[in-house]
Amino acid sequence: MKGKIVLIQFPFDDLSSNKVRPAYCLTNEIGIYQHIIFAFITSRIPEKPLNTDIILQQEHLDFANSGLRQASTLRLDHLVTLRQSLIRRELGFLSSETQDFIANILCRILCSSK
């Protein structure tokens, strides 16, 4: 599943509700419950993107294979771990180059000594 973009019931960050949203699979299935770590994708393009945002516009090399219908932002500051069985359907995928770029950003976030 790693590298794929899927539709999933993504919980609101206050857990008040959830909504079917596109999400990026950061991992393959893990453990007996087949958990996957997902990153939130929104169609809102921020005026001032965070250094953890990846903008996927029509000009982006991966956009055609992403399965997204419009320009979107992959939010690496908004992650969740959910069961693979909650995936509604697969939309597309991101290239290994973009996956490496994402991994570098995550490492910068998670491996920082500050």
Side-chain angles (χ1 to χ4, degrees), residues 2 6-7 10 13 15 26 37 41-42 46 50 58-59 64 66 78 80 85 87 90 97-98 100-101 104-105 109-110:
K2 183 178 177 185
V6 298
L7 281 181
F10 209 97
D13 60 0
L15 301 178
L26 289 164
I37 301 173
I41 297 177
T42 178
L50 301 173
Q58 286 83 354
E59 302 82 30
S66 72
H78 197 145
V80 67
S85 61
I87 294 174
E90 293 181 21
E97 292 81 12
T98 300
D100 289 344
F101 181 69
N104 286 332
I105 293 172
I109 295 167
L110 300 171

PDB file of all heavy atoms in Angstrom, residues 2 6-7 10 13 15 26 37 41-42 46 50 58-59 64 66 78 80 85 87 90 97-98 100-101 104-105 109-110:
ATOM      1  N   LYS A   2       2.076   1.169   0.509  1.00  0.00           N
ATOM      2  CA  LYS A   2       2.935   2.348   0.594  1.00  0.00           C
ATOM      3  C   LYS A   2       3.035   3.022  -0.767  1.00  0.00           C
ATOM      4  O   LYS A   2       3.217   2.363  -1.786  1.00  0.00           O
ATOM      5  CB  LYS A   2       4.325   1.944   1.084  1.00  0.00           C
ATOM      6  CG  LYS A   2       5.253   3.119   1.260  1.00  0.00           C
ATOM      7  CD  LYS A   2       6.594   2.671   1.795  1.00  0.00           C
ATOM      8  CE  LYS A   2       7.515   3.869   1.896  1.00  0.00           C
ATOM      9  NZ  LYS A   2       8.852   3.473   2.305  1.00  0.00           N
ATOM     10  N   VAL A   6      -5.481   6.780  -1.499  1.00  0.00           N
ATOM     11  CA  VAL A   6      -6.724   6.028  -1.304  1.00  0.00           C
ATOM     12  C   VAL A   6      -7.811   6.949  -0.750  1.00  0.00           C
ATOM     13  O   VAL A   6      -7.531   8.059  -0.297  1.00  0.00           O
ATOM     14  CB  VAL A   6      -6.498   4.845  -0.314  1.00  0.00           C
ATOM     15  CG1 VAL A   6      -5.481   3.863  -0.866  1.00  0.00           C
ATOM     16  CG2 VAL A   6      -6.082   5.343   1.052  1.00  0.00           C
ATOM     17  N   LEU A   7      -9.043   6.459  -0.795  1.00  0.00           N
ATOM     18  CA  LEU A   7     -10.150   7.124  -0.103  1.00  0.00           C
ATOM     19  C   LEU A   7     -10.390   6.390   1.197  1.00  0.00           C
ATOM     20  O   LEU A   7     -10.473   5.150   1.218  1.00  0.00           O
ATOM     21  CB  LEU A   7     -11.428   7.078  -0.944  1.00  0.00           C
ATOM     22  CG  LEU A   7     -11.555   8.077  -2.066  1.00  0.00           C
ATOM     23  CD1 LEU A   7     -12.910   7.894  -2.772  1.00  0.00           C
ATOM     24  CD2 LEU A   7     -11.400   9.500  -1.591  1.00  0.00           C
ATOM     25  N   PHE A  10     -11.436   9.605   7.150  1.00  0.00           N
ATOM     26  CA  PHE A  10     -10.360  10.253   7.886  1.00  0.00           C
ATOM     27  C   PHE A  10     -10.966  11.015   9.053  1.00  0.00           C
ATOM     28  O   PHE A  10     -11.847  11.845   8.874  1.00  0.00           O
ATOM     29  CB  PHE A  10      -9.598  11.219   6.971  1.00  0.00           C
ATOM     30  CG  PHE A  10      -8.161  11.407   7.346  1.00  0.00           C
ATOM     31  CD1 PHE A  10      -7.170  10.682   6.712  1.00  0.00           C
ATOM     32  CD2 PHE A  10      -7.803  12.310   8.338  1.00  0.00           C
ATOM     33  CE1 PHE A  10      -5.849  10.849   7.055  1.00  0.00           C
ATOM     34  CE2 PHE A  10      -6.484  12.480   8.679  1.00  0.00           C
ATOM     35  CZ  PHE A  10      -5.490  11.750   8.042  1.00  0.00           C
ATOM     36  N   ASP A  13      -9.365  16.092  13.536  1.00  0.00           N
ATOM     37  CA  ASP A  13      -8.310  16.051  14.548  1.00  0.00           C
ATOM     38  C   ASP A  13      -8.824  16.193  15.979  1.00  0.00           C
ATOM     39  O   ASP A  13      -8.119  15.861  16.924  1.00  0.00           O
ATOM     40  CB  ASP A  13      -7.208  17.075  14.261  1.00  0.00           C
ATOM     41  CG  ASP A  13      -7.690  18.502  14.237  1.00  0.00           C
ATOM     42  OD1 ASP A  13      -8.886  18.755  14.434  1.00  0.00           O
ATOM     43  OD2 ASP A  13      -6.839  19.384  14.015  1.00  0.00           O
ATOM     44  N   LEU A  15     -11.540  14.471  16.833  1.00  0.00           N
ATOM     45  CA  LEU A  15     -12.291  13.213  16.904  1.00  0.00           C
ATOM     46  C   LEU A  15     -13.802  13.397  16.999  1.00  0.00           C
ATOM     47  O   LEU A  15     -14.516  12.472  17.361  1.00  0.00           O
ATOM     48  CB  LEU A  15     -11.796  12.334  18.063  1.00  0.00           C
ATOM     49  CG  LEU A  15     -10.321  11.954  18.010  1.00  0.00           C
ATOM     50  CD1 LEU A  15      -9.945  11.121  19.223  1.00  0.00           C
ATOM     51  CD2 LEU A  15      -9.981  11.223  16.722  1.00  0.00           C
ATOM     52  N   LEU A  26       1.580   6.045   3.949  1.00  0.00           N
ATOM     53  CA  LEU A  26       2.990   6.207   4.277  1.00  0.00           C
ATOM     54  C   LEU A  26       3.685   4.873   4.512  1.00  0.00           C
ATOM     55  O   LEU A  26       4.911   4.788   4.428  1.00  0.00           O
ATOM     56  CB  LEU A  26       3.148   7.077   5.523  1.00  0.00           C
ATOM     57  CG  LEU A  26       2.811   8.548   5.311  1.00  0.00           C
ATOM     58  CD1 LEU A  26       2.603   9.239   6.642  1.00  0.00           C
ATOM     59  CD2 LEU A  26       3.907   9.218   4.519  1.00  0.00           C
ATOM     60  N   ILE A  37      -0.176   3.798   8.252  1.00  0.00           N
ATOM     61  CA  ILE A  37      -0.080   5.211   8.627  1.00  0.00           C
ATOM     62  C   ILE A  37      -0.419   6.033   7.383  1.00  0.00           C
ATOM     63  O   ILE A  37       0.173   5.835   6.318  1.00  0.00           O
ATOM     64  CB  ILE A  37       1.314   5.568   9.153  1.00  0.00           C
ATOM     65  CG1 ILE A  37       1.649   4.704  10.374  1.00  0.00           C
ATOM     66  CG2 ILE A  37       1.388   7.064   9.508  1.00  0.00           C
ATOM     67  CD1 ILE A  37       3.074   4.860  10.867  1.00  0.00           C
ATOM     68  N   ILE A  41      -4.942  14.411   2.873  1.00  0.00           N
ATOM     69  CA  ILE A  41      -4.881  15.194   1.634  1.00  0.00           C
ATOM     70  C   ILE A  41      -6.127  16.061   1.573  1.00  0.00           C
ATOM     71  O   ILE A  41      -7.243  15.587   1.786  1.00  0.00           O
ATOM     72  CB  ILE A  41      -4.811  14.290   0.378  1.00  0.00           C
ATOM     73  CG1 ILE A  41      -3.534  13.455   0.399  1.00  0.00           C
ATOM     74  CG2 ILE A  41      -4.878  15.130  -0.894  1.00  0.00           C
ATOM     75  CD1 ILE A  41      -3.408  12.473  -0.749  1.00  0.00           C
ATOM     76  N   THR A  42      -5.933  17.339   1.298  1.00  0.00           N
ATOM     77  CA  THR A  42      -7.039  18.278   1.186  1.00  0.00           C
ATOM     78  C   THR A  42      -6.980  18.991  -0.161  1.00  0.00           C
ATOM     79  O   THR A  42      -5.895  19.183  -0.719  1.00  0.00           O
ATOM     80  CB  THR A  42      -7.013  19.317   2.331  1.00  0.00           C
ATOM     81  OG1 THR A  42      -8.096  20.239   2.153  1.00  0.00           O
ATOM     82  CG2 THR A  42      -5.700  20.086   2.381  1.00  0.00           C
ATOM     83  N   PRO A  46      -3.014  26.043   0.735  1.00  0.00           N
ATOM     84  CA  PRO A  46      -2.804  27.154   1.662  1.00  0.00           C
ATOM     85  C   PRO A  46      -2.077  28.323   1.004  1.00  0.00           C
ATOM     86  O   PRO A  46      -1.226  28.127   0.128  1.00  0.00           O
ATOM     87  CB  PRO A  46      -1.960  26.541   2.775  1.00  0.00           C
ATOM     88  CG  PRO A  46      -1.327  25.347   2.181  1.00  0.00           C
ATOM     89  CD  PRO A  46      -2.229  24.876   1.087  1.00  0.00           C
ATOM     90  N   LEU A  50       2.949  25.168   4.857  1.00  0.00           N
ATOM     91  CA  LEU A  50       3.925  24.781   5.868  1.00  0.00           C
ATOM     92  C   LEU A  50       5.071  24.049   5.185  1.00  0.00           C
ATOM     93  O   LEU A  50       4.914  23.539   4.058  1.00  0.00           O
ATOM     94  CB  LEU A  50       3.269  23.857   6.895  1.00  0.00           C
ATOM     95  CG  LEU A  50       2.074  24.404   7.658  1.00  0.00           C
ATOM     96  CD1 LEU A  50       1.445  23.304   8.514  1.00  0.00           C
ATOM     97  CD2 LEU A  50       2.479  25.591   8.503  1.00  0.00           C
ATOM     98  N   GLN A  58      -1.724  20.302 -11.052  1.00  0.00           N
ATOM     99  CA  GLN A  58      -1.786  19.608 -12.340  1.00  0.00           C
ATOM    100  C   GLN A  58      -0.420  19.536 -13.022  1.00  0.00           C
ATOM    101  O   GLN A  58      -0.148  18.599 -13.751  1.00  0.00           O
ATOM    102  CB  GLN A  58      -2.804  20.280 -13.271  1.00  0.00           C
ATOM    103  CG  GLN A  58      -4.237  20.021 -12.895  1.00  0.00           C
ATOM    104  CD  GLN A  58      -4.776  20.946 -11.801  1.00  0.00           C
ATOM    105  OE1 GLN A  58      -4.061  21.747 -11.206  1.00  0.00           O
ATOM    106  NE2 GLN A  58      -6.073  20.827 -11.512  1.00  0.00           N
ATOM    107  N   GLU A  59       0.449  20.496 -12.744  1.00  0.00           N
ATOM    108  CA  GLU A  59       1.777  20.528 -13.360  1.00  0.00           C
ATOM    109  C   GLU A  59       2.751  19.556 -12.695  1.00  0.00           C
ATOM    110  O   GLU A  59       3.812  19.260 -13.248  1.00  0.00           O
ATOM    111  CB  GLU A  59       2.384  21.936 -13.286  1.00  0.00           C
ATOM    112  CG  GLU A  59       1.558  23.021 -13.946  1.00  0.00           C
ATOM    113  CD  GLU A  59       0.418  23.533 -13.050  1.00  0.00           C
ATOM    114  OE1 GLU A  59       0.560  23.510 -11.813  1.00  0.00           O
ATOM    115  OE2 GLU A  59      -0.612  23.937 -13.605  1.00  0.00           O
ATOM    116  N   ALA A  64      -0.980  13.203 -12.624  1.00  0.00           N
ATOM    117  CA  ALA A  64      -1.778  12.343 -13.509  1.00  0.00           C
ATOM    118  C   ALA A  64      -1.980  10.946 -12.922  1.00  0.00           C
ATOM    119  O   ALA A  64      -3.039  10.342 -13.101  1.00  0.00           O
ATOM    120  CB  ALA A  64      -1.119  12.240 -14.883  1.00  0.00           C
ATOM    121  N   SER A  66      -1.906  10.261  -9.654  1.00  0.00           N
ATOM    122  CA  SER A  66      -2.368  10.352  -8.271  1.00  0.00           C
ATOM    123  C   SER A  66      -3.828   9.958  -8.102  1.00  0.00           C
ATOM    124  O   SER A  66      -4.243   9.562  -7.018  1.00  0.00           O
ATOM    125  CB  SER A  66      -2.169  11.768  -7.734  1.00  0.00           C
ATOM    126  OG  SER A  66      -3.098  12.670  -8.336  1.00  0.00           O
ATOM    127  N   HIS A  78      -0.497  16.060   9.543  1.00  0.00           N
ATOM    128  CA  HIS A  78      -1.807  15.502   9.900  1.00  0.00           C
ATOM    129  C   HIS A  78      -1.801  14.017   9.526  1.00  0.00           C
ATOM    130  O   HIS A  78      -2.192  13.639   8.422  1.00  0.00           O
ATOM    131  CB  HIS A  78      -2.893  16.261   9.135  1.00  0.00           C
ATOM    132  CG  HIS A  78      -4.263  16.075   9.679  1.00  0.00           C
ATOM    133  ND1 HIS A  78      -5.187  17.061   9.669  1.00  0.00           N
ATOM    134  CD2 HIS A  78      -4.881  15.015  10.245  1.00  0.00           C
ATOM    135  CE1 HIS A  78      -6.318  16.618  10.197  1.00  0.00           C
ATOM    136  NE2 HIS A  78      -6.139  15.376  10.551  1.00  0.00           N
ATOM    137  N   VAL A  80      -2.502   9.777  10.678  1.00  0.00           N
ATOM    138  CA  VAL A  80      -3.358   8.894  11.472  1.00  0.00           C
ATOM    139  C   VAL A  80      -3.003   7.448  11.125  1.00  0.00           C
ATOM    140  O   VAL A  80      -2.558   7.161  10.013  1.00  0.00           O
ATOM    141  CB  VAL A  80      -4.856   9.184  11.205  1.00  0.00           C
ATOM    142  CG1 VAL A  80      -5.251   8.826   9.792  1.00  0.00           C
ATOM    143  CG2 VAL A  80      -5.748   8.500  12.204  1.00  0.00           C
ATOM    144  N   SER A  85      -8.507  -2.293   6.265  1.00  0.00           N
ATOM    145  CA  SER A  85      -9.870  -2.655   5.868  1.00  0.00           C
ATOM    146  C   SER A  85     -10.793  -1.438   5.748  1.00  0.00           C
ATOM    147  O   SER A  85     -11.873  -1.541   5.168  1.00  0.00           O
ATOM    148  CB  SER A  85     -10.469  -3.649   6.869  1.00  0.00           C
ATOM    149  OG  SER A  85     -10.540  -3.074   8.163  1.00  0.00           O
ATOM    150  N   ILE A  87     -10.088   1.219   4.029  1.00  0.00           N
ATOM    151  CA  ILE A  87      -9.896   1.859   2.724  1.00  0.00           C
ATOM    152  C   ILE A  87     -11.108   1.573   1.853  1.00  0.00           C
ATOM    153  O   ILE A  87     -11.519   0.429   1.689  1.00  0.00           O
ATOM    154  CB  ILE A  87      -8.607   1.351   2.036  1.00  0.00           C
ATOM    155  CG1 ILE A  87      -7.389   1.800   2.834  1.00  0.00           C
ATOM    156  CG2 ILE A  87      -8.534   1.834   0.593  1.00  0.00           C
ATOM    157  CD1 ILE A  87      -6.077   1.226   2.324  1.00  0.00           C
ATOM    158  N   GLU A  90      -8.802   2.551  -3.972  1.00  0.00           N
ATOM    159  CA  GLU A  90      -7.532   3.143  -4.366  1.00  0.00           C
ATOM    160  C   GLU A  90      -7.780   4.151  -5.472  1.00  0.00           C
ATOM    161  O   GLU A  90      -8.573   3.899  -6.389  1.00  0.00           O
ATOM    162  CB  GLU A  90      -6.568   2.065  -4.849  1.00  0.00           C
ATOM    163  CG  GLU A  90      -6.129   1.118  -3.764  1.00  0.00           C
ATOM    164  CD  GLU A  90      -5.142   0.073  -4.249  1.00  0.00           C
ATOM    165  OE1 GLU A  90      -4.482   0.287  -5.299  1.00  0.00           O
ATOM    166  OE2 GLU A  90      -5.030  -0.963  -3.582  1.00  0.00           O
ATOM    167  N   GLU A  97      10.352   8.817  -6.514  1.00  0.00           N
ATOM    168  CA  GLU A  97      11.043  10.082  -6.243  1.00  0.00           C
ATOM    169  C   GLU A  97      10.252  10.933  -5.256  1.00  0.00           C
ATOM    170  O   GLU A  97      10.818  11.490  -4.305  1.00  0.00           O
ATOM    171  CB  GLU A  97      11.277  10.877  -7.542  1.00  0.00           C
ATOM    172  CG  GLU A  97      12.255  10.249  -8.494  1.00  0.00           C
ATOM    173  CD  GLU A  97      11.653   9.141  -9.366  1.00  0.00           C
ATOM    174  OE1 GLU A  97      10.421   8.990  -9.405  1.00  0.00           O
ATOM    175  OE2 GLU A  97      12.427   8.410  -9.999  1.00  0.00           O
ATOM    176  N   THR A  98       8.943  11.026  -5.456  1.00  0.00           N
ATOM    177  CA  THR A  98       8.108  11.796  -4.540  1.00  0.00           C
ATOM    178  C   THR A  98       8.028  11.101  -3.190  1.00  0.00           C
ATOM    179  O   THR A  98       8.053  11.753  -2.143  1.00  0.00           O
ATOM    180  CB  THR A  98       6.705  12.019  -5.141  1.00  0.00           C
ATOM    181  OG1 THR A  98       6.850  12.740  -6.376  1.00  0.00           O
ATOM    182  CG2 THR A  98       5.818  12.814  -4.201  1.00  0.00           C
ATOM    183  N   ASP A 100      10.396   9.369  -1.812  1.00  0.00           N
ATOM    184  CA  ASP A 100      11.663   9.684  -1.143  1.00  0.00           C
ATOM    185  C   ASP A 100      11.638  11.100  -0.587  1.00  0.00           C
ATOM    186  O   ASP A 100      12.130  11.344   0.522  1.00  0.00           O
ATOM    187  CB  ASP A 100      12.843   9.520  -2.103  1.00  0.00           C
ATOM    188  CG  ASP A 100      13.145   8.073  -2.450  1.00  0.00           C
ATOM    189  OD1 ASP A 100      12.656   7.159  -1.737  1.00  0.00           O
ATOM    190  OD2 ASP A 100      13.872   7.852  -3.444  1.00  0.00           O
ATOM    191  N   PHE A 101      11.079  12.035  -1.332  1.00  0.00           N
ATOM    192  CA  PHE A 101      10.960  13.419  -0.885  1.00  0.00           C
ATOM    193  C   PHE A 101      10.111  13.491   0.391  1.00  0.00           C
ATOM    194  O   PHE A 101      10.481  14.158   1.357  1.00  0.00           O
ATOM    195  CB  PHE A 101      10.343  14.269  -2.010  1.00  0.00           C
ATOM    196  CG  PHE A 101      10.190  15.718  -1.679  1.00  0.00           C
ATOM    197  CD1 PHE A 101      11.302  16.537  -1.548  1.00  0.00           C
ATOM    198  CD2 PHE A 101       8.931  16.266  -1.507  1.00  0.00           C
ATOM    199  CE1 PHE A 101      11.157  17.887  -1.244  1.00  0.00           C
ATOM    200  CE2 PHE A 101       8.775  17.605  -1.207  1.00  0.00           C
ATOM    201  CZ  PHE A 101       9.893  18.420  -1.076  1.00  0.00           C
ATOM    202  N   ASN A 104      12.024  12.102   3.362  1.00  0.00           N
ATOM    203  CA  ASN A 104      13.009  13.066   3.867  1.00  0.00           C
ATOM    204  C   ASN A 104      12.356  14.119   4.752  1.00  0.00           C
ATOM    205  O   ASN A 104      12.915  14.493   5.782  1.00  0.00           O
ATOM    206  CB  ASN A 104      13.763  13.719   2.711  1.00  0.00           C
ATOM    207  CG  ASN A 104      14.757  12.784   2.070  1.00  0.00           C
ATOM    208  OD1 ASN A 104      15.283  11.879   2.713  1.00  0.00           O
ATOM    209  ND2 ASN A 104      15.006  12.976   0.791  1.00  0.00           N
ATOM    210  N   ILE A 105      11.188  14.593   4.366  1.00  0.00           N
ATOM    211  CA  ILE A 105      10.468  15.566   5.194  1.00  0.00           C
ATOM    212  C   ILE A 105      10.084  14.930   6.522  1.00  0.00           C
ATOM    213  O   ILE A 105      10.267  15.529   7.589  1.00  0.00           O
ATOM    214  CB  ILE A 105       9.228  16.109   4.458  1.00  0.00           C
ATOM    215  CG1 ILE A 105       9.647  16.954   3.256  1.00  0.00           C
ATOM    216  CG2 ILE A 105       8.359  16.934   5.420  1.00  0.00           C
ATOM    217  CD1 ILE A 105       8.505  17.378   2.364  1.00  0.00           C
ATOM    218  N   ILE A 109      11.186  15.884  10.403  1.00  0.00           N
ATOM    219  CA  ILE A 109      10.230  16.141  11.487  1.00  0.00           C
ATOM    220  C   ILE A 109      10.504  15.211  12.674  1.00  0.00           C
ATOM    221  O   ILE A 109      10.582  15.653  13.817  1.00  0.00           O
ATOM    222  CB  ILE A 109       8.780  15.897  11.012  1.00  0.00           C
ATOM    223  CG1 ILE A 109       8.388  16.884   9.928  1.00  0.00           C
ATOM    224  CG2 ILE A 109       7.810  15.988  12.179  1.00  0.00           C
ATOM    225  CD1 ILE A 109       7.097  16.498   9.218  1.00  0.00           C
ATOM    226  N   LEU A 110      10.614  13.912  12.404  1.00  0.00           N
ATOM    227  CA  LEU A 110      10.689  12.912  13.459  1.00  0.00           C
ATOM    228  C   LEU A 110      12.085  12.697  14.025  1.00  0.00           C
ATOM    229  O   LEU A 110      12.222  12.264  15.162  1.00  0.00           O
ATOM    230  CB  LEU A 110      10.140  11.581  12.942  1.00  0.00           C
ATOM    231  CG  LEU A 110       8.685  11.609  12.477  1.00  0.00           C
ATOM    232  CD1 LEU A 110       8.333  10.307  11.786  1.00  0.00           C
ATOM    233  CD2 LEU A 110       7.755  11.886  13.632  1.00  0.00           C
TER     234      LEU A 110
END
